[in-house]
Amino acid sequence: MALQAGIVGLPNVGKSTLFNALSNAKAQAANFPFCTIEPNVGVITVPDSRLIELERLVKPQKVVPTTVEIVDIAGLVKGASKGEGLGNQFLGNIRNTDAIIHVLRCFDDDNVIHVDGKVDPVSDKEIIDIELQLKDLEGVDRKISKIEKQSKTGDKDAVRAYEVLTALKAHLEAGKNARGFDISPEEKEKFLKDLALLTIKPVIYVCNVDEASVVKGNKHTEAVKNAIKDENAEILLVSAAIESEIAVMESFEDRQLFLEDLGLSESGVARLIRSTYHLLHLITYFTAGVQEVKAWTITKGMLAPQAAGVIHSDFEKGFIRAEVIRYADFVKYGSEAACRDNGKLAVQGKDYLVEDGDIMHFRFNV
Ligand SMILES: Nc1nc2c(ncn2[C@@H]2O[C@H](COP(=O)(O)OP(=O)(O)O)[C@@H](O)[C@H]2O)c(=O)[nH]1
Ligand SMILES: [Mg+2]
């Protein structure tokens, strides 16, 4: 399954405008082909020059670039964690995504109603964050009550799990997102993974601004910047209104002229796609056979079985081992066989941390 980024935000902040700009981005089609597969799900192709090199070496029948799915997640409102406004359904949609694009209204326009009657992106962000934190707290509480007894028996793992989870509970209750929770990658994998936390997912904040503020920002974007300074998150200034104008332009030249007039070198959609891929710690590995050379998107930090699961869940369930060639070695020696002969094909197990550019061959058993 392709990785998904979900667009979230309060109603009327410009999520669908942005989504439509992405899905209609004709002028960008050459760089970022996009098609809508469901009314609220679109697929973007991620360009990668390494695919061209692999095609030259392997001469496959087919080359398939990797894609990222973008989902327009509507309907998050205050009380969503309690099921308000179909809240639970939408929170479930977020759970299925790998990353979050959080759109914040940073434009003033009296014609566009704000759900709370005023433009205040920092408070908007808090409303969404709190709903997600409350949902995470439900899961954390459930797990704490499960392991509490066990931890009292002195079981070392249970004692540590209890410590970690009570600290996380306090962290969430203080209105902080789990992504800022201080924990080692090993313990994160061990104690938090099964919770499928919402606020631990990587996030980009997209400030939806008016035309005049798209380069330098405005008082709203400054406030957002200040509010997220400890979050180690990326912020992007985009005008959804401009993007929807650009999206319908047929020619590349028209688009560039339009952008230059506004003092921009690149559309917000292009920046968003690039940022989504890189800032959300997505990396690419390849499978390279004569039938097909294919790029796959995973999250940095994924181990070999999880990476295999992106191809098919059976690959993860029945994972035995992975044969791995570094991209640079593949290019240097020119083929899998030559890499094998030169000791550049490594056999890796379940604990292998997949790296960007790895050429993978999975062995599995179902
Ligand atoms: N002035 C202005 N209006 C916008 C902008 N982005 C969206 N809107 C308007 O805000 C309203 C809500 O936008 P929509 O994308 O449907 O918001 P959603 O509820 O978050 O999906 C629509 O009337 C849009 O035309 C923008 O950048 N500037
Ligand atoms: Mg919408």
Side-chain angles (χ1 to χ4, degrees), residues 50-114:
R50 292 172 299 188
L51 275 178
I52 300 165
E53 191 62 19
L54 289 175
E55 179 175 26
R56 191 179 66 80
L57 294 169
V58 180
K59 300 182 184 63
Q61 288 168 20
K62 201 162 88 178
V63 176
V64 186
T66 185
T67 55
V68 177
E69 288 183 9
I70 306 280
V71 193
D72 183 3
I73 297 172
L76 266 184
V77 292
K78 202 179 272 175
S81 61
K82 305 262 170 317
E84 204 113 337
L86 295 176
N88 275 323
Q89 185 189 325
F90 296 118
L91 289 166
N93 287 340
I94 299 172
R95 207 175 294 290
N96 292 331
T97 67
D98 303 281
I100 293 173
I101 298 170
H102 190 154
V103 180
L104 297 166
R105 173 170 171 174
C106 293
F107 63 89
D108 293 303
D109 182 343
D110 293 339
N111 295 318
V112 180
I113 293 165
H114 185 286

Short mmCIF file of all heavy atoms in Angstrom, two decimals, residues 50-114:
data_model
loop_
_atom_site.label_atom_id
_atom_site.label_comp_id
_atom_site.label_asym_id
_atom_site.label_seq_id
_atom_site.Cartn_x
_atom_site.Cartn_y
_atom_site.Cartn_z
N ARG A 50 17.34 8.39 -9.87
CA ARG A 50 17.98 7.07 -9.71
C ARG A 50 17.25 5.99 -10.52
O ARG A 50 17.85 5.02 -10.96
CB ARG A 50 18.03 6.68 -8.24
CG ARG A 50 18.99 7.56 -7.43
CD ARG A 50 18.88 7.28 -5.96
NE ARG A 50 17.53 7.56 -5.45
CZ ARG A 50 17.21 7.55 -4.17
NH1 ARG A 50 18.12 7.26 -3.26
NH2 ARG A 50 15.98 7.82 -3.77
N LEU A 51 15.94 6.22 -10.72
CA LEU A 51 15.17 5.26 -11.52
C LEU A 51 15.68 5.20 -12.95
O LEU A 51 15.68 4.15 -13.58
CB LEU A 51 13.69 5.66 -11.53
CG LEU A 51 12.82 5.19 -10.38
CD1 LEU A 51 11.42 5.74 -10.56
CD2 LEU A 51 12.79 3.67 -10.30
N ILE A 52 16.09 6.35 -13.46
CA ILE A 52 16.58 6.44 -14.84
C ILE A 52 17.87 5.64 -14.97
O ILE A 52 18.07 4.89 -15.92
CB ILE A 52 16.78 7.92 -15.24
CG1 ILE A 52 15.43 8.66 -15.13
CG2 ILE A 52 17.39 8.04 -16.63
CD1 ILE A 52 15.53 10.17 -15.15
N GLU A 53 18.73 5.78 -13.96
CA GLU A 53 20.00 5.06 -13.93
C GLU A 53 19.76 3.54 -13.83
O GLU A 53 20.37 2.75 -14.54
CB GLU A 53 20.80 5.57 -12.72
CG GLU A 53 22.24 5.13 -12.66
CD GLU A 53 23.10 5.61 -13.83
OE1 GLU A 53 22.70 6.57 -14.52
OE2 GLU A 53 24.16 5.00 -14.05
N LEU A 54 18.83 3.15 -12.97
CA LEU A 54 18.53 1.72 -12.82
C LEU A 54 17.92 1.15 -14.10
O LEU A 54 18.21 0.02 -14.49
CB LEU A 54 17.58 1.50 -11.63
CG LEU A 54 18.18 1.72 -10.24
CD1 LEU A 54 17.11 1.59 -9.16
CD2 LEU A 54 19.32 0.73 -9.96
N GLU A 55 17.12 1.95 -14.76
CA GLU A 55 16.51 1.50 -16.02
C GLU A 55 17.60 1.22 -17.06
O GLU A 55 17.57 0.21 -17.77
CB GLU A 55 15.55 2.58 -16.55
CG GLU A 55 14.90 2.18 -17.87
CD GLU A 55 13.85 3.18 -18.34
OE1 GLU A 55 13.94 4.37 -17.96
OE2 GLU A 55 12.95 2.75 -19.09
N ARG A 56 18.59 2.11 -17.09
CA ARG A 56 19.70 1.97 -18.04
C ARG A 56 20.46 0.66 -17.77
O ARG A 56 20.83 -0.06 -18.68
CB ARG A 56 20.64 3.18 -17.88
CG ARG A 56 21.70 3.33 -18.94
CD ARG A 56 22.55 4.58 -18.69
NE ARG A 56 23.33 4.48 -17.45
CZ ARG A 56 24.49 3.82 -17.32
NH1 ARG A 56 24.99 3.18 -18.36
NH2 ARG A 56 25.13 3.79 -16.17
N LEU A 57 20.67 0.34 -16.52
CA LEU A 57 21.46 -0.83 -16.15
C LEU A 57 20.68 -2.14 -16.27
O LEU A 57 21.17 -3.14 -16.76
CB LEU A 57 22.00 -0.68 -14.72
CG LEU A 57 23.01 0.45 -14.50
CD1 LEU A 57 23.24 0.68 -13.02
CD2 LEU A 57 24.32 0.15 -15.22
N VAL A 58 19.43 -2.12 -15.83
CA VAL A 58 18.65 -3.36 -15.73
C VAL A 58 17.87 -3.64 -17.02
O VAL A 58 17.60 -4.78 -17.35
CB VAL A 58 17.70 -3.28 -14.50
CG1 VAL A 58 16.86 -4.54 -14.37
CG2 VAL A 58 18.49 -3.04 -13.22
N LYS A 59 17.55 -2.59 -17.75
CA LYS A 59 16.71 -2.70 -18.95
C LYS A 59 15.43 -3.50 -18.70
O LYS A 59 15.18 -4.53 -19.33
CB LYS A 59 17.51 -3.31 -20.11
CG LYS A 59 18.72 -2.47 -20.48
CD LYS A 59 19.49 -3.06 -21.65
CE LYS A 59 20.74 -2.26 -21.92
NZ LYS A 59 21.69 -2.29 -20.77
N PRO A 60 14.64 -3.05 -17.75
CA PRO A 60 13.41 -3.77 -17.41
C PRO A 60 12.31 -3.50 -18.44
O PRO A 60 12.42 -2.56 -19.23
CB PRO A 60 13.02 -3.16 -16.07
CG PRO A 60 13.50 -1.74 -16.18
CD PRO A 60 14.75 -1.78 -17.00
N GLN A 61 11.26 -4.32 -18.38
CA GLN A 61 10.12 -4.07 -19.27
C GLN A 61 9.37 -2.82 -18.85
O GLN A 61 8.73 -2.16 -19.64
CB GLN A 61 9.17 -5.27 -19.22
CG GLN A 61 9.73 -6.49 -19.93
CD GLN A 61 8.93 -7.73 -19.63
OE1 GLN A 61 7.78 -7.66 -19.23
NE2 GLN A 61 9.54 -8.89 -19.81
N LYS A 62 9.47 -2.54 -17.55
CA LYS A 62 8.63 -1.47 -17.01
C LYS A 62 9.35 -0.75 -15.87
O LYS A 62 10.08 -1.40 -15.11
CB LYS A 62 7.35 -2.12 -16.46
CG LYS A 62 6.18 -1.20 -16.33
CD LYS A 62 4.88 -1.99 -16.20
CE LYS A 62 4.61 -2.33 -14.75
NZ LYS A 62 3.39 -3.05 -14.47
N VAL A 63 9.15 0.55 -15.78
CA VAL A 63 9.69 1.32 -14.66
C VAL A 63 8.52 1.97 -13.93
O VAL A 63 7.68 2.62 -14.55
CB VAL A 63 10.66 2.42 -15.13
CG1 VAL A 63 11.15 3.25 -13.96
CG2 VAL A 63 11.84 1.79 -15.86
N VAL A 64 8.46 1.75 -12.63
CA VAL A 64 7.33 2.31 -11.88
C VAL A 64 7.84 3.22 -10.76
O VAL A 64 8.46 2.75 -9.81
CB VAL A 64 6.47 1.18 -11.25
CG1 VAL A 64 5.23 1.76 -10.60
CG2 VAL A 64 6.11 0.15 -12.30
N PRO A 65 7.61 4.52 -10.89
CA PRO A 65 8.04 5.43 -9.83
C PRO A 65 7.18 5.26 -8.59
O PRO A 65 6.10 4.65 -8.65
CB PRO A 65 7.85 6.82 -10.43
CG PRO A 65 6.95 6.64 -11.59
CD PRO A 65 6.92 5.19 -11.97
N THR A 66 7.66 5.77 -7.50
CA THR A 66 6.87 5.67 -6.28
C THR A 66 5.83 6.79 -6.21
O THR A 66 5.93 7.80 -6.92
CB THR A 66 7.76 5.69 -5.03
OG1 THR A 66 6.96 5.47 -3.88
CG2 THR A 66 8.49 7.02 -4.87
N THR A 67 4.83 6.55 -5.43
CA THR A 67 3.76 7.54 -5.30
C THR A 67 3.47 7.81 -3.83
O THR A 67 3.80 7.00 -2.98
CB THR A 67 2.46 7.03 -5.95
OG1 THR A 67 2.14 5.77 -5.37
CG2 THR A 67 2.59 6.91 -7.44
N VAL A 68 2.89 8.94 -3.58
CA VAL A 68 2.39 9.25 -2.25
C VAL A 68 0.91 9.59 -2.40
O VAL A 68 0.54 10.29 -3.34
CB VAL A 68 3.14 10.45 -1.63
CG1 VAL A 68 2.57 10.83 -0.28
CG2 VAL A 68 4.63 10.16 -1.50
N GLU A 69 0.10 9.04 -1.53
CA GLU A 69 -1.32 9.37 -1.58
C GLU A 69 -1.62 10.54 -0.65
O GLU A 69 -1.10 10.60 0.45
CB GLU A 69 -2.16 8.16 -1.16
CG GLU A 69 -2.17 7.07 -2.21
CD GLU A 69 -3.06 5.90 -1.85
OE1 GLU A 69 -3.82 5.98 -0.85
OE2 GLU A 69 -2.98 4.89 -2.56
N ILE A 70 -2.46 11.41 -1.15
CA ILE A 70 -2.89 12.54 -0.32
C ILE A 70 -4.39 12.37 -0.06
O ILE A 70 -5.16 12.15 -0.99
CB ILE A 70 -2.66 13.89 -1.06
CG1 ILE A 70 -1.20 14.03 -1.53
CG2 ILE A 70 -3.08 15.06 -0.19
CD1 ILE A 70 -0.22 14.46 -0.48
N VAL A 71 -4.79 12.47 1.19
CA VAL A 71 -6.19 12.30 1.54
C VAL A 71 -6.73 13.58 2.16
O VAL A 71 -6.13 14.14 3.06
CB VAL A 71 -6.37 11.17 2.59
CG1 VAL A 71 -7.83 10.77 2.70
CG2 VAL A 71 -5.51 9.97 2.24
N ASP A 72 -7.84 14.03 1.64
CA ASP A 72 -8.52 15.20 2.20
C ASP A 72 -9.43 14.70 3.34
O ASP A 72 -10.46 14.09 3.09
CB ASP A 72 -9.35 15.86 1.08
CG ASP A 72 -10.06 17.13 1.54
OD1 ASP A 72 -9.87 17.55 2.70
OD2 ASP A 72 -10.80 17.70 0.72
N ILE A 73 -9.00 14.94 4.56
CA ILE A 73 -9.77 14.45 5.70
C ILE A 73 -10.64 15.57 6.25
O ILE A 73 -10.17 16.50 6.90
CB ILE A 73 -8.83 13.90 6.80
CG1 ILE A 73 -8.05 12.70 6.25
CG2 ILE A 73 -9.64 13.50 8.05
CD1 ILE A 73 -6.97 12.18 7.15
N ALA A 74 -11.92 15.48 5.94
CA ALA A 74 -12.84 16.55 6.32
C ALA A 74 -13.36 16.30 7.73
O ALA A 74 -13.14 15.24 8.31
CB ALA A 74 -14.00 16.58 5.35
N GLY A 75 -14.02 17.30 8.26
CA GLY A 75 -14.90 17.05 9.39
C GLY A 75 -14.30 17.01 10.77
O GLY A 75 -14.94 16.55 11.70
N LEU A 76 -13.06 17.47 10.93
CA LEU A 76 -12.53 17.52 12.29
C LEU A 76 -13.03 18.79 12.96
O LEU A 76 -12.81 19.89 12.46
CB LEU A 76 -11.01 17.54 12.27
CG LEU A 76 -10.32 16.20 12.38
CD1 LEU A 76 -8.82 16.41 12.43
CD2 LEU A 76 -10.79 15.43 13.61
N VAL A 77 -13.72 18.62 14.06
CA VAL A 77 -14.23 19.77 14.81
C VAL A 77 -13.96 19.54 16.29
O VAL A 77 -13.56 18.45 16.70
CB VAL A 77 -15.74 19.97 14.59
CG1 VAL A 77 -16.03 20.40 13.17
CG2 VAL A 77 -16.51 18.69 14.93
N LYS A 78 -14.22 20.58 17.06
CA LYS A 78 -14.11 20.43 18.51
C LYS A 78 -15.05 19.31 18.94
O LYS A 78 -16.20 19.26 18.51
CB LYS A 78 -14.52 21.76 19.17
CG LYS A 78 -13.98 21.92 20.58
CD LYS A 78 -14.40 23.26 21.17
CE LYS A 78 -13.40 24.35 20.81
NZ LYS A 78 -13.82 25.68 21.26
N GLY A 79 -14.58 18.39 19.77
CA GLY A 79 -15.42 17.29 20.22
C GLY A 79 -15.32 16.04 19.36
O GLY A 79 -15.99 15.05 19.62
N ALA A 80 -14.45 16.10 18.34
CA ALA A 80 -14.34 14.95 17.43
C ALA A 80 -13.95 13.67 18.17
O ALA A 80 -14.43 12.59 17.85
CB ALA A 80 -13.32 15.26 16.33
N SER A 81 -13.09 13.82 19.17
CA SER A 81 -12.64 12.62 19.91
C SER A 81 -13.78 11.98 20.69
O SER A 81 -13.72 10.82 21.05
CB SER A 81 -11.49 12.98 20.85
OG SER A 81 -11.92 13.93 21.81
N LYS A 82 -14.84 12.75 20.91
CA LYS A 82 -16.02 12.20 21.59
C LYS A 82 -17.07 11.76 20.56
O LYS A 82 -18.22 11.51 20.89
CB LYS A 82 -16.66 13.25 22.51
CG LYS A 82 -15.71 13.84 23.52
CD LYS A 82 -15.86 13.15 24.87
CE LYS A 82 -14.76 13.52 25.84
NZ LYS A 82 -13.39 13.57 25.33
N GLY A 83 -16.68 11.79 19.30
CA GLY A 83 -17.59 11.32 18.25
C GLY A 83 -18.39 12.42 17.61
O GLY A 83 -19.23 12.19 16.75
N GLU A 84 -18.13 13.64 18.01
CA GLU A 84 -18.86 14.78 17.47
C GLU A 84 -18.56 14.99 15.98
O GLU A 84 -17.41 14.86 15.55
CB GLU A 84 -18.44 16.03 18.24
CG GLU A 84 -19.45 17.08 18.21
CD GLU A 84 -20.10 17.40 19.52
OE1 GLU A 84 -20.14 16.61 20.47
OE2 GLU A 84 -20.58 18.49 19.52
N GLY A 85 -19.59 15.31 15.19
CA GLY A 85 -19.39 15.58 13.76
C GLY A 85 -18.72 14.42 13.04
O GLY A 85 -17.76 14.63 12.32
N LEU A 86 -19.22 13.22 13.27
CA LEU A 86 -18.62 12.02 12.67
C LEU A 86 -17.14 11.91 13.05
O LEU A 86 -16.34 11.32 12.34
CB LEU A 86 -18.74 12.03 11.14
CG LEU A 86 -20.15 11.95 10.55
CD1 LEU A 86 -20.09 12.05 9.03
CD2 LEU A 86 -20.84 10.65 10.94
N GLY A 87 -16.81 12.53 14.19
CA GLY A 87 -15.41 12.66 14.58
C GLY A 87 -14.63 11.37 14.56
O GLY A 87 -13.52 11.33 14.05
N ASN A 88 -15.22 10.31 15.11
CA ASN A 88 -14.45 9.08 15.22
C ASN A 88 -14.05 8.52 13.87
O ASN A 88 -12.96 8.01 13.70
CB ASN A 88 -15.22 8.04 16.01
CG ASN A 88 -14.99 8.23 17.50
OD1 ASN A 88 -13.88 8.56 17.91
ND2 ASN A 88 -16.03 8.05 18.29
N GLN A 89 -14.97 8.66 12.92
CA GLN A 89 -14.67 8.18 11.57
C GLN A 89 -13.47 8.92 10.99
O GLN A 89 -12.59 8.31 10.40
CB GLN A 89 -15.90 8.41 10.70
CG GLN A 89 -15.79 7.84 9.31
CD GLN A 89 -16.98 8.32 8.47
OE1 GLN A 89 -18.09 8.47 8.99
NE2 GLN A 89 -16.73 8.56 7.21
N PHE A 90 -13.43 10.23 11.22
CA PHE A 90 -12.34 11.01 10.65
C PHE A 90 -11.04 10.75 11.38
O PHE A 90 -9.98 10.69 10.77
CB PHE A 90 -12.70 12.49 10.65
CG PHE A 90 -13.87 12.77 9.77
CD1 PHE A 90 -15.05 13.28 10.28
CD2 PHE A 90 -13.79 12.49 8.42
CE1 PHE A 90 -16.14 13.49 9.46
CE2 PHE A 90 -14.88 12.71 7.59
CZ PHE A 90 -16.07 13.22 8.11
N LEU A 91 -11.14 10.55 12.68
CA LEU A 91 -9.94 10.21 13.43
C LEU A 91 -9.39 8.87 12.95
O LEU A 91 -8.19 8.67 12.85
CB LEU A 91 -10.24 10.18 14.93
CG LEU A 91 -10.48 11.57 15.53
CD1 LEU A 91 -11.11 11.46 16.91
CD2 LEU A 91 -9.20 12.37 15.60
N GLY A 92 -10.31 7.96 12.60
CA GLY A 92 -9.90 6.67 12.03
C GLY A 92 -9.17 6.87 10.72
O GLY A 92 -8.16 6.22 10.45
N ASN A 93 -9.65 7.81 9.90
CA ASN A 93 -8.97 8.11 8.64
C ASN A 93 -7.55 8.60 8.88
O ASN A 93 -6.64 8.28 8.13
CB ASN A 93 -9.71 9.19 7.85
CG ASN A 93 -11.00 8.66 7.24
OD1 ASN A 93 -11.14 7.45 7.07
ND2 ASN A 93 -11.91 9.55 6.91
N ILE A 94 -7.39 9.38 9.94
CA ILE A 94 -6.05 9.89 10.24
C ILE A 94 -5.14 8.74 10.69
O ILE A 94 -3.98 8.68 10.35
CB ILE A 94 -6.09 10.98 11.33
CG1 ILE A 94 -6.92 12.16 10.85
CG2 ILE A 94 -4.68 11.46 11.68
CD1 ILE A 94 -7.18 13.21 11.90
N ARG A 95 -5.73 7.82 11.44
CA ARG A 95 -4.92 6.69 11.92
C ARG A 95 -4.30 5.91 10.75
O ARG A 95 -3.22 5.38 10.86
CB ARG A 95 -5.78 5.76 12.79
CG ARG A 95 -4.94 5.00 13.80
CD ARG A 95 -5.72 4.16 14.77
NE ARG A 95 -6.58 4.84 15.72
CZ ARG A 95 -6.16 5.57 16.75
NH1 ARG A 95 -4.88 5.75 16.94
NH2 ARG A 95 -7.02 6.14 17.57
N ASN A 96 -5.01 5.86 9.64
CA ASN A 96 -4.49 5.14 8.48
C ASN A 96 -3.39 5.88 7.73
O ASN A 96 -2.78 5.33 6.83
CB ASN A 96 -5.63 4.85 7.49
CG ASN A 96 -6.60 3.85 8.06
OD1 ASN A 96 -6.22 3.02 8.88
ND2 ASN A 96 -7.86 3.96 7.65
N THR A 97 -3.17 7.14 8.05
CA THR A 97 -2.17 7.90 7.30
C THR A 97 -0.81 7.80 7.98
O THR A 97 -0.71 7.48 9.16
CB THR A 97 -2.54 9.39 7.18
OG1 THR A 97 -2.47 9.98 8.48
CG2 THR A 97 -3.93 9.57 6.61
N ASP A 98 0.22 8.07 7.19
CA ASP A 98 1.58 7.98 7.71
C ASP A 98 2.11 9.35 8.11
O ASP A 98 3.09 9.46 8.83
CB ASP A 98 2.50 7.40 6.63
CG ASP A 98 2.00 6.04 6.18
OD1 ASP A 98 2.24 5.08 6.90
OD2 ASP A 98 1.30 5.97 5.14
N ALA A 99 1.49 10.38 7.62
CA ALA A 99 1.96 11.73 7.90
C ALA A 99 0.77 12.69 7.81
O ALA A 99 -0.24 12.37 7.18
CB ALA A 99 3.03 12.13 6.91
N ILE A 100 0.94 13.83 8.45
CA ILE A 100 -0.17 14.78 8.50
C ILE A 100 0.23 16.11 7.89
O ILE A 100 1.30 16.64 8.17
CB ILE A 100 -0.60 14.98 9.98
CG1 ILE A 100 -1.20 13.69 10.54
CG2 ILE A 100 -1.58 16.14 10.12
CD1 ILE A 100 -1.50 13.74 12.02
N ILE A 101 -0.64 16.62 7.02
CA ILE A 101 -0.50 17.98 6.51
C ILE A 101 -1.57 18.80 7.21
O ILE A 101 -2.76 18.61 6.96
CB ILE A 101 -0.70 18.02 4.97
CG1 ILE A 101 0.38 17.18 4.27
CG2 ILE A 101 -0.68 19.46 4.46
CD1 ILE A 101 0.12 16.96 2.78
N HIS A 102 -1.13 19.64 8.12
CA HIS A 102 -2.10 20.37 8.95
C HIS A 102 -2.27 21.78 8.37
O HIS A 102 -1.35 22.60 8.43
CB HIS A 102 -1.56 20.42 10.39
CG HIS A 102 -2.54 20.92 11.39
ND1 HIS A 102 -2.51 20.57 12.72
CD2 HIS A 102 -3.60 21.76 11.28
CE1 HIS A 102 -3.49 21.16 13.37
NE2 HIS A 102 -4.16 21.90 12.52
N VAL A 103 -3.44 22.04 7.79
CA VAL A 103 -3.69 23.33 7.16
C VAL A 103 -4.26 24.31 8.17
O VAL A 103 -5.21 23.99 8.90
CB VAL A 103 -4.66 23.20 5.96
CG1 VAL A 103 -4.92 24.56 5.31
CG2 VAL A 103 -4.10 22.24 4.91
N LEU A 104 -3.66 25.50 8.22
CA LEU A 104 -4.11 26.54 9.15
C LEU A 104 -4.54 27.77 8.37
O LEU A 104 -3.81 28.24 7.49
CB LEU A 104 -2.96 26.91 10.10
CG LEU A 104 -2.49 25.77 11.01
CD1 LEU A 104 -1.16 26.09 11.65
CD2 LEU A 104 -3.55 25.47 12.07
N ARG A 105 -5.70 28.28 8.72
CA ARG A 105 -6.18 29.48 8.03
C ARG A 105 -5.41 30.71 8.52
O ARG A 105 -5.54 31.11 9.68
CB ARG A 105 -7.67 29.67 8.28
CG ARG A 105 -8.15 31.00 7.72
CD ARG A 105 -9.63 31.13 7.70
NE ARG A 105 -9.97 32.51 7.34
CZ ARG A 105 -11.19 32.94 7.12
NH1 ARG A 105 -12.21 32.11 7.23
NH2 ARG A 105 -11.42 34.19 6.79
N CYS A 106 -4.63 31.30 7.62
CA CYS A 106 -3.88 32.51 7.95
C CYS A 106 -4.26 33.64 7.01
O CYS A 106 -3.48 34.56 6.78
CB CYS A 106 -2.38 32.23 7.86
SG CYS A 106 -1.78 31.08 9.11
N PHE A 107 -5.46 33.55 6.41
CA PHE A 107 -5.94 34.64 5.57
C PHE A 107 -7.18 35.28 6.19
O PHE A 107 -7.98 34.60 6.82
CB PHE A 107 -6.24 34.18 4.13
CG PHE A 107 -7.36 33.15 4.03
CD1 PHE A 107 -8.69 33.56 3.88
CD2 PHE A 107 -7.07 31.80 4.08
CE1 PHE A 107 -9.72 32.62 3.78
CE2 PHE A 107 -8.09 30.85 3.99
CZ PHE A 107 -9.42 31.26 3.84
N ASP A 108 -7.26 36.61 6.01
CA ASP A 108 -8.46 37.32 6.45
C ASP A 108 -9.38 37.45 5.25
O ASP A 108 -8.94 37.86 4.18
CB ASP A 108 -8.10 38.72 6.96
CG ASP A 108 -7.28 38.65 8.25
OD1 ASP A 108 -7.76 38.06 9.22
OD2 ASP A 108 -6.15 39.18 8.24
N ASP A 109 -10.60 37.08 5.40
CA ASP A 109 -11.57 37.24 4.33
C ASP A 109 -12.94 37.11 4.97
O ASP A 109 -13.35 36.01 5.36
CB ASP A 109 -11.35 36.18 3.24
CG ASP A 109 -12.32 36.35 2.06
OD1 ASP A 109 -13.35 37.06 2.21
OD2 ASP A 109 -12.05 35.78 0.99
N ASP A 110 -13.64 38.24 5.07
CA ASP A 110 -14.93 38.25 5.76
C ASP A 110 -15.97 37.39 5.05
O ASP A 110 -16.97 37.01 5.64
CB ASP A 110 -15.45 39.68 5.93
CG ASP A 110 -14.57 40.48 6.88
OD1 ASP A 110 -13.84 39.84 7.68
OD2 ASP A 110 -14.58 41.73 6.81
N ASN A 111 -15.71 37.12 3.77
CA ASN A 111 -16.68 36.31 3.02
C ASN A 111 -16.59 34.83 3.36
O ASN A 111 -17.48 34.06 3.04
CB ASN A 111 -16.45 36.48 1.51
CG ASN A 111 -16.74 37.90 1.07
OD1 ASN A 111 -17.73 38.50 1.51
ND2 ASN A 111 -15.87 38.44 0.25
N VAL A 112 -15.46 34.45 3.95
CA VAL A 112 -15.29 33.04 4.31
C VAL A 112 -15.47 32.90 5.82
O VAL A 112 -14.70 33.45 6.60
CB VAL A 112 -13.90 32.51 3.87
CG1 VAL A 112 -13.76 31.04 4.27
CG2 VAL A 112 -13.71 32.68 2.37
N ILE A 113 -16.51 32.19 6.17
CA ILE A 113 -16.85 32.07 7.58
C ILE A 113 -15.84 31.20 8.32
O ILE A 113 -15.45 30.14 7.84
CB ILE A 113 -18.26 31.45 7.74
CG1 ILE A 113 -19.31 32.44 7.20
CG2 ILE A 113 -18.57 31.10 9.20
CD1 ILE A 113 -20.67 31.82 6.98
N HIS A 114 -15.42 31.69 9.47
CA HIS A 114 -14.56 30.87 10.33
C HIS A 114 -15.46 30.19 11.35
O HIS A 114 -16.35 30.83 11.91
CB HIS A 114 -13.52 31.75 11.02
CG HIS A 114 -12.52 30.95 11.83
ND1 HIS A 114 -12.85 30.37 13.02
CD2 HIS A 114 -11.24 30.61 11.58
CE1 HIS A 114 -11.79 29.71 13.48
NE2 HIS A 114 -10.80 29.84 12.63
#
